[in-house]
Amino acid sequence: MRANRVLLPLALSLIGGAVQADLLYTFDASAQGFTVTSGGALTHVVSGGNGHLSVADIDNADVLLNLPLASGTTDWSSYLGGTLSLDAASLNGQAPSWSTFGLLTLTSATAGSVSFDFVPETDPTTGWKTYSVQLDVATFGANLSAVLASLSSATINLESGNGPIEVVGIDNVRLTSAVPEPQTWAMGLAGLALIGALRRRARG
Ligand SMILES: [Ca+2]
Ligand SMILES: [Ca+2]
């Protein structure tokens, strides 16, 4: 039994290294903790059980959508190499005339910030479209891993109109971890095998 006290946590940590929770915000019942802290007014809209966020630009400050994070710092290391995606649409038919829509900025309490604009300058347009960005060093630079490990805010710039003229919709914000590398799968399988061995020993 003493060996199990050492081996069981080891087995669980091997599995934990391979399995990382994805996040999906569908806004079907609420705004799920998303806020707009600058330049815009956020409304949660429900239609036929499918909700989304509606954000109206109200002044000349950038409209910044904040993803919900725990206070202090959050460790998003497991999303390094993963993907952030969202659905967006122009809700009032305003053609895009400002290019910063889709600028994702990740800020760390201790390691500065990184950013990347993942929506084409010609979007969003009327009708929902999905946009995504890979959270990798090739896209955000070498500082990304340090920022993700001590994240204090994650904001998406929603400015698509020159002046307070646009109303945009946001839905299905999704954060997925990287597809595990073969060696990560191997660690997870090793963890499962170890647990299997411990159970057999406990029975015997
Ligand atoms: Ca929805
Ligand atoms: Ca604007």
Side-chain angles (χ1 to χ4, degrees):
M1 284 310 282
R2 178 171 302 159
N4 284 10
R5 277 204 293 272
V6 177
L7 290 176
L8 189 59
L10 172 65
L12 291 175
S13 74
L14 286 171
I15 295 170
V19 182
Q20 295 148 346
D22 294 346
L23 297 174
L24 172 63
Y25 300 95
T26 61
F27 309 116
D28 291 340
S30 74
Q32 293 188 271
F34 280 62
T35 57
V36 168
T37 50
S38 163
L42 181 148
T43 312
H44 175 241
V45 179
V46 181
S47 65
N50 180 13
H52 62 266
L53 304 181
S54 169
V55 182
D57 192 350
I58 55 170
D59 60 25
N60 284 327
D62 277 1
V63 180
L64 298 180
L65 179 70
N66 301 274
L67 278 70
L69 294 177
S71 61
T73 62
T74 300
D75 187 352
W76 268 18
S77 297
S78 59
Y79 300 113
L80 182 65
T83 304
L84 179 105
S85 66
L86 55 77
D87 298 346
S90 166
L91 295 183
N92 66 346
Q94 191 69 50
S97 56
W98 198 257
S99 65
T100 51
F101 189 99
L103 179 71
L104 170 66
T105 301
L106 303 168
T107 303
S108 156
T110 53
S113 66
V114 294
S115 53
F116 183 78
D117 186 345
F118 64 98
V119 174
E121 293 188 13
T122 50
D123 284 4
T125 53
T126 307
W128 292 91
K129 269 163 80 174
T130 302
Y131 306 94
S132 67
V133 61
Q134 225 173 332
L135 301 177
D136 59 19
V137 168
T139 307
F140 287 88
N143 201 26
L144 178 65
S145 13
V147 169
L148 287 179
S150 56
L151 199 64
S152 59
S153 76
T155 68
I156 301 171
N157 192 312
L158 300 187
E159 275 292 336
S160 66
N162 188 355
I165 53 174
E166 70 273 34
V167 180
V168 297
I170 299 292
D171 202 359
N172 300 321
V173 178
R174 185 187 296 267
L175 196 60
T176 54
S177 56
V179 174
E181 302 284 321
Q183 64 263 33
T184 314
W185 279 114
M187 277 203 310
L189 289 175
L192 286 173
L194 193 48
I195 284 190
L198 291 173
R199 287 173 60 99
R200 279 192 298 278
R201 216 161 64 164
R203 272 203 307 272

